[in-house]
Amino acid sequence: MLADVTAPGTRHSVAALRRLLDLLARGAPAEEFARPAADAREAGVRGGDLAAITDATDVALRIRRTLSQHRRREAQLTALFDTASDLAALRDLDAVLRAIVHRAKLLLGTDVTYLSLNDELAGDTYMRVTDGSVAAAFQQVRLGMGEGLGGLVAQTARPYATGDYQRDTRFHHTTTIDSAVLDEGLRAILGVPLRVGARIIGVLYAADRAPREFAAEEVALLSSLADHAAIAIDGARLLEETRAALVDLNAASETIRAHSGEMRRAEEAHDQLTDLVLRGGGADDVAAAIADILDGGILIHDADGAELACARAESLPPPTPAVAASRASGRAVSLNGTWVCAVLAGPELLGSIALTGHPDLTDVDRLLFERAGVVTALLLLLRRSVAEAEDRVRGELLGDLLSRSGDPGALSARARRLGVDLARPHCVFVADGESADRHRLLAVAARHAQAGKGLAGIHEGHVVLVAPTDAPGPGARTLAAELGQAVGSPVTVGAAGPAAGLAELPTVHTEAGRCLSALRVLGHTGHGGATDELGFVGVLLGDRADLGGYVRATLGPVLDYDAERGTDLVGTLDAYFAEGASLTRTKTALHVHVNTVVQRLERVGRLLGQDWNSPARTLEIQLALRLNGLTSAGRAEIRPPGTR
């Protein structure tokens, strides 16, 4: 049954509903929606009609809130879409950031909005854009990480909000920040982080000059705008990097074009030098060509520092520190106005080139100089190949001489063709370097032998050198020093000889090998010596032991003293050692006073040296005394006719 719309209560209900719909239609303030129910009560509406009007009012208010939320969300989405459009047409980063800050101010309805960026070098965050700010100090404030609300957001990457900043104890207050906030008159502040991936680059703020609470949807809205701002900043950075890369690319292209002619010149020079070497040109030809190309003086040295060529320059030794630096870096280096380039074959140092009179080199000229080093390496490798072929011939002859292979006349003829005169006395030197490369050691020994008109080669696992000399000891010491310096590690050299003819060379070689072994056993590694310098060890090792020479080398001063003064110091020494070095038993054996024994032994010490009674010397002296007593020549020396 339909209600009677003409009843007074019903008429008031219908009128109230129409007013509520009108209020919704024009978006009236919330407080106006209570008016229809109040008017109905004044008109005397009671009971169910008044309850219906009240329920309708509640529904209208809910509809109003829903419409307001939809309008606010629409405005927010519009602002976000506008911001995205600004980003798509990004031309001016500052303009985009100002637009974002201004939209945040409008959407959140705050008095002030602002944006700060992190300074990674300074370790703080600074104001970049503000909207609504009136205080100059506030617009220039910097916040340390963890300081104030903004510093805490920048440090923790989390949003923070306060209804009244000055009274909020959650934040680390500083005088600078608090005074700037006070100058601006801010109370309520909301800050959200600007994120680029996992990195925080700044903070976006919304602030009011009156206390207020920020709703969750406001935090979300400001966070969305902050994300757009971060995109704008990162996009601007990428755009700037792209522009810089294009500038660098253009500059590189210009540089390439500017140097293309010089590079062609370098390539032509390299081809010219290579052709020169392949046509048989020597070190002098290469040095002259490089000097003409670079308009300077050129010096070429081998790995041992010997000068191979000089063009338009005075002779100078190679600057060793610069050669080492060039070898380590693989580039030419400058030292005191001279450019130096190590000549390398892989890691091996073949020599060096020095350029004088041209202290300033362009990059291209430096490259050309380094290419000249490569060509010089080719030259030195070709020279070494020729030298190695000749060394093989000399080594084969050496092997035949030491192994008694072939006719002596044919061997002498082969030697003469190599400039070696085997009719002269020759000594044999056997060299060994435990940590040295044997082929490197042979190369140095071969140069030494060729310079001295001798022979060098590998024989029975050692580097052997046969040289025309009659002084094996000094020659061995000199050779050990030179070889050790050349290879950079100790080299021991045993020597023997001289050999009287071809037939004795194998025997002398065997004796030199035993001398080398003795030197190493005796702890003389890195030195040189001959068998006749090894004392009684040399006597034992030598196939041609000079016993008389050993006795003279050991007891000579005492023998001469006895011969000149008619004394018997040798007899005293015999008795002293025979009696176990006892003064008491010695004076009894000699039938003299003990002081006489002491005086005679003091004389022996002055003649033979204060260490004559040391274990090593006493062994040498006792052996010499026995040999002296076993030879008639020795006895004649000890007791010349007419002496006691």
Side-chain angles (χ1 to χ4, degrees):
M1 185 175 180
L2 296 175
D4 185 1
V5 296
T6 60
T10 301
R11 289 197 302 273
H12 280 290
S13 296
V14 173
L17 291 174
R18 288 195 53 123
R19 288 180 62 189
L20 289 172
L21 292 174
D22 289 339
L23 292 173
L24 287 173
R26 60 186 178 88
E31 55 272 13
E32 293 188 22
F33 282 77
R35 193 72 223 163
D39 291 344
R41 277 194 296 270
E42 291 178 2
V45 178
R46 298 287 185 273
D49 291 334
L50 183 59
I53 295 172
T54 302
D55 291 341
T57 301
D58 293 337
V59 172
L61 287 172
R62 288 198 300 272
I63 294 172
R64 180 187 179 281
R65 283 195 296 270
T66 300
L67 292 175
S68 297
Q69 290 174 354
H70 287 170
R71 283 194 292 269
R72 186 165 57 250
R73 187 57 179 164
E74 181 183 359
Q76 293 173 358
L77 291 175
T78 300
L80 293 177
F81 287 140
D82 291 343
T83 301
S85 299
D86 291 342
L87 293 177
L90 177 62
R91 293 294 181 271
D92 184 349
L93 175 62
D94 286 337
V96 173
L97 294 181
R98 283 195 297 270
I100 291 174
V101 170
H102 182 66
R103 288 186 184 119
K105 181 172 180 289
L106 294 177
L107 291 173
L108 271 70
T110 56
D111 298 321
V112 181
T113 49
Y114 48 100
L115 182 147
S116 67
L117 294 180
N118 292 355
D119 187 336
E120 295 182 358
L121 294 178
D124 60 10
T125 180
Y126 64 95
M127 289 293 183
R128 175 65 186 272
V129 180
T130 65
D131 191 338
S133 172
V134 295
F138 180 80
Q139 297 169 14
Q140 300 173 3
V141 71
R142 300 183 73 99
L143 294 79
M145 291 298 177
E147 295 179 353
L149 183 145
L152 190 60
V153 173
Q155 183 183 57
T156 63
R158 295 172 54 191
Y160 277 91
T162 177
D164 193 343
Y165 175 76
Q166 297 289 1
R167 296 184 179 182
D168 198 328
T169 59
R170 293 178 299 160
F171 307 108
H172 175 48
H173 291 266
T174 67
T175 302
T176 302
I177 299 174
D178 286 358
S179 62
V181 172
L182 188 61
D183 287 347
E184 192 62 52
L186 300 181
R187 303 290 294 276
I189 304 175
L190 167 63
V192 296
L194 300 174
R195 302 173 185 271
V196 175
R199 188 165 57 96
I200 304 303
I201 63 172
V203 180
L204 178 61
Y205 306 84
D208 257 340
R209 294 189 174 92
R212 64 171 285 186
E213 296 298 327
F214 291 96
E217 58 268 20
E218 292 177 317
V219 176
L221 174 61
L222 195 63
S223 296
S224 297
L225 290 172
D227 291 340
H228 283 82
I231 293 171
I233 295 170
D234 194 47
R237 176 186 61 80
L238 294 174
L239 183 60
E240 185 60 31
E241 289 178 357
T242 302
R243 289 171 178 167
L246 289 174
V247 171
D248 293 341
L249 181 60
N250 291 333
S253 299
E254 290 297 326
T255 302
I256 292 172
R257 282 193 292 270
H259 286 79
S260 60
E262 294 181 351
M263 292 297 293
R264 283 194 297 271
R265 168 175 164 263
E267 292 173 359
E268 291 170 358
H270 182 266
D271 293 342
Q272 174 188 344
L273 294 173
T274 303
D275 291 341
L276 180 62
V277 172
L278 296 179
R279 287 198 306 269
D284 291 331
D285 300 322
V286 172
I290 299 173
D292 290 340
I293 293 171
L294 292 176
D295 192 23
I298 292 293
L299 290 159
I300 300 178
H301 296 88
D302 66 11
D304 297 322
E307 183 180 296
L308 301 179
C310 178
R312 297 169 57 178
E314 296 181 0
S315 295
L316 294 171
T320 303
V323 174
S326 175
R327 182 181 185 182
S329 65
R331 300 294 309 277
V333 299
S334 178
L335 178 66
N336 300 326
T338 298
W339 283 89
V340 179
C341 182
V343 178
L344 302 172
E348 181 184 359
L349 179 67
L350 301 179
S352 63
I353 309 179
L355 172 64
T356 64
H358 202 149
D360 298 323
L361 285 181
T362 64
D363 290 342
V364 174
D365 283 343
R366 182 181 180 184
L367 177 61
L368 195 156
F369 182 51
E370 291 167 352
R371 287 189 174 185
V374 175
V375 174
T376 305
L378 174 62
L379 171 67
L380 296 183
L381 286 173
L382 291 174
R383 286 167 55 98
R384 187 167 72 178
S385 297
V386 174
E388 287 176 349
E390 184 174 343
D391 290 342
R392 281 195 297 273
V393 175
R394 290 176 175 270
E396 291 171 358
L397 174 59
L398 177 71
D400 292 342
L401 289 172
L402 299 183
S403 60
R404 295 186 176 93
S405 300
D407 177 67
L411 293 176
S412 296
R414 287 168 59 189
R416 283 194 298 273
R417 286 195 295 271
L418 295 175
V420 178
D421 182 8
L422 293 178
R424 297 174 56 188
H426 281 69
C427 290
V428 179
F429 303 87
V430 180
D432 180 72
E434 294 182 0
S435 60
D437 180 79
R438 192 171 65 177
H439 295 288
R440 172 66 176 156
L441 185 62
L442 174 61
V444 179
R447 286 199 295 271
H448 189 282
Q450 191 170 2
K453 297 187 180 300
L455 298 171
I458 302 290
H459 189 70
E460 295 181 354
H462 288 99
V463 174
V464 180
L465 188 146
V466 175
T469 178
D470 56 3
R477 286 187 287 275
T478 300
L479 186 61
E482 292 181 358
L483 293 179
Q485 182 178 6
V487 300
S489 61
V491 176
T492 309
V493 179
L502 298 182
E504 286 194 8
L505 281 175
T507 302
V508 173
H509 167 255
T510 301
E511 187 176 334
R514 289 201 292 262
C515 179
L516 171 65
S517 299
L519 287 171
R520 290 189 298 195
V521 171
L522 294 173
H524 298 321
T525 300
H527 300 279
T531 52
D532 58 3
E533 298 174 332
L534 297 179
F536 77 92
V537 176
V539 172
L540 297 174
L541 295 176
D543 288 337
R544 303 169 299 151
D546 182 5
L547 301 181
Y550 173 71
V551 172
R552 289 294 309 171
T554 307
L555 297 176
V558 176
L559 295 172
D560 293 340
Y561 188 88
D562 282 350
E564 292 172 3
R565 292 169 175 77
T567 57
D568 192 12
L569 294 180
V570 171
T572 301
L573 278 173
D574 259 330
Y576 176 71
F577 288 120
E579 297 300 332
S582 170
L583 295 176
T584 302
R585 291 196 298 271
T586 301
K587 65 98 176 174
T588 302
L590 294 175
H591 305 290
V592 297
H593 194 274
V594 68
N595 289 340
T596 302
V597 176
V598 172
Q599 291 171 1
R600 290 180 182 180
L601 294 179
E602 288 177 351
R603 174 65 62 184
V604 169
R606 287 194 291 273
L607 292 171
L608 298 182
Q610 294 302 316
D611 65 338
W612 73 274
N613 208 14
S614 66
R617 288 294 302 280
T618 57
L619 180 60
E620 297 269 358
I621 293 170
Q622 290 182 70
L623 179 59
L625 289 170
R626 295 294 178 273
L627 293 173
N628 187 66
L630 291 174
T631 60
S632 58
R635 290 183 184 279
E637 281 191 285
I638 295 175
R639 297 182 180 86
T643 63
R644 292 179 61 255

